[in-house]
Amino acid sequence: MLNIRIRKTNNGKKWRGSVLYTDMTGKRREKSVGKSFAKKKDAKNAANQLLSELYSNTANDSNSTYVDFYQEYYLNFIKPNARSHSSAEQYSIYGKHLKIYFGDMKLKDITAADYQRFLNKFGNRYSKEYARKLKAYTSKPVKFAVSQGMLRRDFTFNAKTVFNPNANQHTNYLNGAEIKQLATYIEGRLDPDNPSLYLILLAIYTGMRKAELQALTWEDVDEQASTITINKSWDEHKKTFKPTKTESSNRIVPVPRDVLDLLCRLKDSHNHLIFMDPLGRVLTGATINKYVRDIIARCGLDEGREHFTLHSLRHTHVAYLLGKGVDIHVISKRLGHSSVRTTEEKYAYLIDEFKAKQTDQIVQKLDNLND
């Protein structure tokens, strides 16, 4: 809700008015009148005027369509603080679903039943992860509207996520023998003039994200400790460094000594960043993924993996570590996830497959009791 605040300026000679409000994260924010006054009552009148204007805007917003309000919410609250270009892409994708289903329907006229039918219609087509994001992205603006008094109730509250269990909800990954085959193939063809091969090899052994790999500099490599420090990522659109995906993504990743020795062959390029092409440009995602698909095809591993990308190697890394019995907590830290729960949610299908294999092994061992 909106409230006013009146206080003295720093020199204590004048008064300043402002309006307090709560943003979509629940944090208290403040909008100033913009000037100070000699008398307290004048500052209060100015603050009340600003309050009336904001309430007027709120009334107008409440008459907005769901689609328009969703877009405005993104432009005002998400885009200015977005850590990556992908946020815009995500909001655009889910916004199209809203437009198809709700059209010009006003935000204030939508009911809980309307919203649930929306989730049912689109969720039934997609995987659990996609359906979960659909609900998360489309409900945030509604919750914000309620927090600001624009809506009397949250029609997304208690809505159920609906998904298609038969949808292809996980990325293709390689098994132990296949990843060994791929790594051996790459190691036998490493050439400092082709840094893409080195990047892909490092992705296999670390599970790092694309933007983290792109942002690596030689200062991040500790040859003595055989580790790589991840403290930034690369904004491919702005061509500059940006913060890591989350605070927990800042981490130190141990790397096999022989892999690090291979990587250091690129030092002769004299580039500050590790993975740059011969023209001094950071390798793009499109270039990297093209190499990934080309290499798995050359290894004969492309059947049924039409959408295999660099990110698939992150899934492969997790699958390999799970198969070797590495604890999920250790894997979570290595990936830079904020919690083990995040790891369990993103790689639930891998964990389920690993548990199923363990169950089979237990049954086989118990059968030996009858021998």
Side-chain angles (χ1 to χ4, degrees):
M1 300 299 291
L2 304 171
N3 297 288
I4 66 170
R5 171 187 282 178
I6 311 299
R7 56 186 174 184
K8 286 188 174 182
T9 57
N10 292 336
N11 60 19
K13 296 181 179 180
K14 292 188 175 183
W15 294 88
R16 185 182 300 276
S18 60
V19 175
L20 299 174
Y21 66 96
T22 304
D23 71 8
M24 60 92 182
T25 66
K27 292 183 179 180
R28 295 286 284 174
R29 303 292 185 185
E30 185 173 2
K31 184 176 179 62
S32 174
V33 169
K35 61 180 181 178
S36 55
F37 300 85
K39 296 181 179 181
K40 182 177 181 180
K41 68 175 184 178
D42 292 334
K44 186 174 182 179
N45 288 336
N48 280 322
Q49 178 61 34
L50 177 60
L51 182 67
S52 297
E53 293 174 0
L54 292 176
Y55 266 124
S56 176
N57 290 338
T58 295
N60 291 333
D61 285 338
S62 67
N63 284 317
S64 296
T65 66
Y66 189 2
V67 175
D68 288 342
F69 189 81
Y70 175 88
Q71 180 64 14
E72 286 297 315
Y73 170 82
Y74 165 72
L75 292 175
N76 292 318
F77 294 97
I78 303 300
K79 186 176 181 180
N81 302 308
R83 298 173 73 99
S84 69
H85 182 74
S86 62
S87 293
E89 296 174 346
Q90 292 289 311
Y91 269 86
S92 175
I93 291 171
Y94 300 122
K96 289 178 181 177
H97 293 320
L98 283 182
K99 188 171 184 177
I100 291 171
Y101 190 85
F102 289 105
D104 295 329
M105 197 169 181
K106 291 183 178 180
L107 188 68
K108 65 180 183 180
D109 295 333
I110 298 173
T111 66
D114 292 328
Y115 185 71
Q116 186 62 60
R117 283 191 287 268
F118 162 72
L119 294 181
N120 294 347
K121 179 176 180 178
F122 287 98
N124 275 321
R125 304 179 184 180
Y126 302 105
S127 68
K128 184 177 182 179
E129 178 66 11
Y130 188 97
R132 183 187 66 79
K133 288 184 177 181
L134 174 68
K135 178 186 173 184
Y137 277 72
T138 57
S139 65
K140 283 182 180 180
V142 179
K143 296 182 185 304
F144 172 73
V146 173
S147 73
Q148 296 303 300
M150 301 174 191
L151 285 177
R152 292 174 56 189
R153 55 189 174 75
D154 178 6
F155 58 74
T156 70
F157 179 71
N158 264 350
K160 306 300 180 184
T161 300
V162 178
F163 63 94
N164 181 355
N166 296 318
N168 182 20
Q169 59 178 313
H170 53 78
T171 308
N172 290 322
Y173 68 95
L174 304 176
N175 60 36
E178 291 171 333
I179 195 61
K180 185 176 181 179
Q181 179 184 346
L182 180 63
T184 301
Y185 179 89
I186 293 175
E187 290 173 14
R189 289 161 179 77
L190 290 175
D191 180 351
D193 290 332
N194 186 3
S196 293
L197 292 176
Y198 291 86
L199 184 148
I200 295 169
L201 184 67
L202 191 60
I204 291 172
Y205 281 97
T206 64
M208 290 171 62
R209 301 179 179 95
K210 172 180 68 70
E212 294 171 346
L213 289 160
Q214 291 172 309
L216 285 180
T217 65
W218 290 112
E219 286 80 2
D220 301 324
V221 179
D222 188 332
E223 294 182 61
Q224 186 174 357
S226 194
T227 60
I228 289 179
T229 297
I230 300 170
N231 52 26
K232 57 190 173 301
S233 59
W234 183 253
D235 189 320
E236 194 166 301
H237 297 274
K238 296 181 179 179
K239 295 180 173 54
T240 187
F241 292 119
K242 64 179 180 179
T244 53
K245 186 174 183 180
T246 62
E247 185 61 32
S248 57
S249 295
N250 294 298
R251 60 199 189 278
I252 297 177
V253 179
V255 183
R257 171 67 61 181
D258 56 344
V259 173
L260 210 56
D261 289 341
L262 292 172
L263 180 66
C264 287
R265 292 180 185 176
L266 290 176
K267 273 191 172 181
D268 292 338
S269 64
H270 302 296
N271 289 322
H272 176 57
L273 280 87
I274 296 177
F275 300 114
M276 303 182 76
D277 66 19
L279 297 178
R281 300 170 300 191
V282 176
L283 296 173
T284 65
T287 298
I288 296 167
N289 285 329
K290 180 179 180 299
Y291 268 101
V292 170
R293 285 189 286 269
D294 181 63
I295 291 172
I296 66 167
R298 290 177 181 274
C299 291
L301 303 173
D302 57 327
E303 185 176 353
R305 296 188 171 106
E306 294 81 5
H307 304 293
F308 200 90
T309 65
L310 182 76
H311 191 72
S312 304
L313 294 178
R314 186 167 166 87
H315 286 247
T316 296
H317 188 72
V318 175
Y320 182 81
L321 294 180
L322 284 172
K324 294 298 181 181
V326 178
D327 185 80
I328 189 66
H329 291 79
V330 177
I331 295 175
S332 181
K333 291 290 184 182
R334 186 172 178 84
L335 296 178
H337 286 161
S338 57
S339 67
V340 175
R341 182 178 179 180
T342 300
T343 310
E344 291 174 337
E345 290 178 349
K346 287 183 176 293
Y347 300 98
Y349 74 98
L350 285 175
I351 295 172
D352 289 343
E353 289 178 14
F354 178 64
K355 288 180 178 178
K357 290 179 181 178
Q358 285 188 319
T359 300
D360 290 341
Q361 291 173 359
I362 290 173
V363 173
Q364 290 174 7
K365 291 181 183 299
L366 291 174
D367 282 342
N368 292 335
L369 289 175
N370 298 322
D371 295 342

mmCIF file of all heavy atoms in Angstrom, residues 190-208:
data_model
loop_
_atom_site.group_PDB
_atom_site.id
_atom_site.type_symbol
_atom_site.label_atom_id
_atom_site.label_comp_id
_atom_site.label_asym_id
_atom_site.label_seq_id
_atom_site.Cartn_x
_atom_site.Cartn_y
_atom_site.Cartn_z
ATOM 1 N N LEU A 190 43.112 -31.506 -30.333
ATOM 2 C CA LEU A 190 43.283 -30.154 -29.805
ATOM 3 C C LEU A 190 44.280 -29.361 -30.634
ATOM 4 O O LEU A 190 45.348 -29.853 -30.995
ATOM 5 C CB LEU A 190 43.751 -30.216 -28.348
ATOM 6 C CG LEU A 190 42.713 -30.703 -27.326
ATOM 7 C CD1 LEU A 190 43.343 -30.821 -25.948
ATOM 8 C CD2 LEU A 190 41.510 -29.758 -27.279
ATOM 9 N N ASP A 191 43.902 -28.126 -30.919
ATOM 10 C CA ASP A 191 44.739 -27.228 -31.711
ATOM 11 C C ASP A 191 44.529 -25.816 -31.166
ATOM 12 O O ASP A 191 43.389 -25.327 -31.136
ATOM 13 C CB ASP A 191 44.323 -27.296 -33.181
ATOM 14 C CG ASP A 191 45.156 -26.389 -34.078
ATOM 15 O OD1 ASP A 191 45.935 -25.579 -33.549
ATOM 16 O OD2 ASP A 191 45.005 -26.482 -35.311
ATOM 17 N N PRO A 192 45.583 -25.131 -30.726
ATOM 18 C CA PRO A 192 45.439 -23.780 -30.171
ATOM 19 C C PRO A 192 44.722 -22.808 -31.103
ATOM 20 O O PRO A 192 44.179 -21.798 -30.647
ATOM 21 C CB PRO A 192 46.892 -23.351 -29.931
ATOM 22 C CG PRO A 192 47.611 -24.636 -29.694
ATOM 23 C CD PRO A 192 46.972 -25.617 -30.635
ATOM 24 N N ASP A 193 44.710 -23.107 -32.387
ATOM 25 C CA ASP A 193 43.998 -22.242 -33.333
ATOM 26 C C ASP A 193 42.486 -22.481 -33.305
ATOM 27 O O ASP A 193 41.733 -21.762 -33.962
ATOM 28 C CB ASP A 193 44.516 -22.460 -34.754
ATOM 29 C CG ASP A 193 45.929 -21.924 -34.931
ATOM 30 O OD1 ASP A 193 46.296 -20.968 -34.204
ATOM 31 O OD2 ASP A 193 46.669 -22.464 -35.775
ATOM 32 N N ASN A 194 42.060 -23.506 -32.566
ATOM 33 C CA ASN A 194 40.641 -23.818 -32.452
ATOM 34 C C ASN A 194 40.261 -23.919 -30.972
ATOM 35 O O ASN A 194 40.130 -25.016 -30.421
ATOM 36 C CB ASN A 194 40.320 -25.129 -33.175
ATOM 37 C CG ASN A 194 38.821 -25.419 -33.203
ATOM 38 O OD1 ASN A 194 38.013 -24.630 -32.729
ATOM 39 N ND2 ASN A 194 38.463 -26.563 -33.753
ATOM 40 N N PRO A 195 40.083 -22.773 -30.296
ATOM 41 C CA PRO A 195 39.791 -22.776 -28.852
ATOM 42 C C PRO A 195 38.468 -23.423 -28.484
ATOM 43 O O PRO A 195 38.256 -23.772 -27.324
ATOM 44 C CB PRO A 195 39.802 -21.287 -28.498
ATOM 45 C CG PRO A 195 39.502 -20.585 -29.777
ATOM 46 C CD PRO A 195 40.140 -21.405 -30.847
ATOM 47 N N SER A 196 37.566 -23.586 -29.463
ATOM 48 C CA SER A 196 36.273 -24.209 -29.166
ATOM 49 C C SER A 196 36.449 -25.613 -28.601
ATOM 50 O O SER A 196 35.720 -26.027 -27.686
ATOM 51 C CB SER A 196 35.407 -24.284 -30.429
ATOM 52 O OG SER A 196 35.029 -23.009 -30.862
ATOM 53 N N LEU A 197 37.417 -26.347 -29.101
ATOM 54 C CA LEU A 197 37.653 -27.707 -28.621
ATOM 55 C C LEU A 197 38.077 -27.702 -27.156
ATOM 56 O O LEU A 197 37.665 -28.557 -26.372
ATOM 57 C CB LEU A 197 38.711 -28.386 -29.489
ATOM 58 C CG LEU A 197 38.314 -28.689 -30.936
ATOM 59 C CD1 LEU A 197 39.492 -29.272 -31.703
ATOM 60 C CD2 LEU A 197 37.124 -29.641 -30.985
ATOM 61 N N TYR A 198 38.896 -26.737 -26.787
ATOM 62 C CA TYR A 198 39.350 -26.638 -25.397
ATOM 63 C C TYR A 198 38.176 -26.272 -24.487
ATOM 64 O O TYR A 198 38.064 -26.781 -23.367
ATOM 65 C CB TYR A 198 40.442 -25.575 -25.274
ATOM 66 C CG TYR A 198 41.745 -25.941 -25.934
ATOM 67 C CD1 TYR A 198 41.956 -25.691 -27.289
ATOM 68 C CD2 TYR A 198 42.775 -26.544 -25.207
ATOM 69 C CE1 TYR A 198 43.161 -26.024 -27.910
ATOM 70 C CE2 TYR A 198 43.980 -26.879 -25.813
ATOM 71 C CZ TYR A 198 44.164 -26.625 -27.162
ATOM 72 O OH TYR A 198 45.356 -26.955 -27.765
ATOM 73 N N LEU A 199 37.325 -25.371 -24.964
ATOM 74 C CA LEU A 199 36.161 -24.973 -24.162
ATOM 75 C C LEU A 199 35.235 -26.161 -23.929
ATOM 76 O O LEU A 199 34.763 -26.376 -22.806
ATOM 77 C CB LEU A 199 35.413 -23.842 -24.877
ATOM 78 C CG LEU A 199 34.216 -23.236 -24.151
ATOM 79 C CD1 LEU A 199 34.064 -21.756 -24.496
ATOM 80 C CD2 LEU A 199 32.908 -23.962 -24.508
ATOM 81 N N ILE A 200 34.977 -26.923 -24.969
ATOM 82 C CA ILE A 200 34.093 -28.087 -24.842
ATOM 83 C C ILE A 200 34.693 -29.122 -23.898
ATOM 84 O O ILE A 200 33.994 -29.721 -23.079
ATOM 85 C CB ILE A 200 33.828 -28.701 -26.235
ATOM 86 C CG1 ILE A 200 33.047 -27.712 -27.096
ATOM 87 C CG2 ILE A 200 33.056 -30.013 -26.110
ATOM 88 C CD1 ILE A 200 32.955 -28.095 -28.553
ATOM 89 N N LEU A 201 35.994 -29.314 -23.998
ATOM 90 C CA LEU A 201 36.664 -30.269 -23.109
ATOM 91 C C LEU A 201 36.539 -29.835 -21.658
ATOM 92 O O LEU A 201 36.256 -30.652 -20.774
ATOM 93 C CB LEU A 201 38.139 -30.396 -23.494
ATOM 94 C CG LEU A 201 38.945 -31.445 -22.712
ATOM 95 C CD1 LEU A 201 38.456 -32.856 -23.059
ATOM 96 C CD2 LEU A 201 40.440 -31.323 -23.023
ATOM 97 N N LEU A 202 36.721 -28.544 -21.403
ATOM 98 C CA LEU A 202 36.604 -28.040 -20.034
ATOM 99 C C LEU A 202 35.173 -28.169 -19.530
ATOM 100 O O LEU A 202 34.949 -28.452 -18.346
ATOM 101 C CB LEU A 202 37.062 -26.581 -19.966
ATOM 102 C CG LEU A 202 37.242 -26.001 -18.563
ATOM 103 C CD1 LEU A 202 38.291 -26.795 -17.780
ATOM 104 C CD2 LEU A 202 37.639 -24.530 -18.632
ATOM 105 N N ALA A 203 34.202 -27.992 -20.412
ATOM 106 C CA ALA A 203 32.789 -28.156 -20.023
ATOM 107 C C ALA A 203 32.518 -29.599 -19.597
ATOM 108 O O ALA A 203 31.762 -29.845 -18.649
ATOM 109 C CB ALA A 203 31.881 -27.764 -21.189
ATOM 110 N N ILE A 204 33.129 -30.539 -20.288
ATOM 111 C CA ILE A 204 32.957 -31.952 -19.939
ATOM 112 C C ILE A 204 33.448 -32.234 -18.529
ATOM 113 O O ILE A 204 32.796 -32.938 -17.752
ATOM 114 C CB ILE A 204 33.708 -32.847 -20.949
ATOM 115 C CG1 ILE A 204 33.035 -32.798 -22.321
ATOM 116 C CG2 ILE A 204 33.793 -34.294 -20.448
ATOM 117 C CD1 ILE A 204 33.811 -33.504 -23.418
ATOM 118 N N TYR A 205 34.591 -31.655 -18.183
ATOM 119 C CA TYR A 205 35.216 -31.965 -16.905
ATOM 120 C C TYR A 205 34.772 -31.077 -15.742
ATOM 121 O O TYR A 205 35.095 -31.375 -14.591
ATOM 122 C CB TYR A 205 36.744 -31.867 -17.047
ATOM 123 C CG TYR A 205 37.356 -33.083 -17.705
ATOM 124 C CD1 TYR A 205 37.648 -33.098 -19.059
ATOM 125 C CD2 TYR A 205 37.640 -34.231 -16.956
ATOM 126 C CE1 TYR A 205 38.204 -34.217 -19.671
ATOM 127 C CE2 TYR A 205 38.198 -35.352 -17.549
ATOM 128 C CZ TYR A 205 38.474 -35.346 -18.910
ATOM 129 O OH TYR A 205 39.021 -36.463 -19.499
ATOM 130 N N THR A 206 34.052 -29.987 -16.029
ATOM 131 C CA THR A 206 33.645 -29.081 -14.947
ATOM 132 C C THR A 206 32.140 -28.860 -14.845
ATOM 133 O O THR A 206 31.648 -28.478 -13.787
ATOM 134 C CB THR A 206 34.300 -27.702 -15.117
ATOM 135 O OG1 THR A 206 33.813 -27.092 -16.329
ATOM 136 C CG2 THR A 206 35.823 -27.813 -15.151
ATOM 137 N N GLY A 207 31.396 -29.050 -15.940
ATOM 138 C CA GLY A 207 29.965 -28.784 -15.914
ATOM 139 C C GLY A 207 29.653 -27.295 -15.851
ATOM 140 O O GLY A 207 28.546 -26.901 -15.477
ATOM 141 N N MET A 208 30.601 -26.449 -16.226
ATOM 142 C CA MET A 208 30.396 -25.004 -16.167
ATOM 143 C C MET A 208 29.359 -24.545 -17.185
ATOM 144 O O MET A 208 29.168 -25.165 -18.227
ATOM 145 C CB MET A 208 31.724 -24.268 -16.415
ATOM 146 C CG MET A 208 32.719 -24.415 -15.282
ATOM 147 S SD MET A 208 34.376 -23.764 -15.719
ATOM 148 C CE MET A 208 33.981 -22.034 -16.006
#
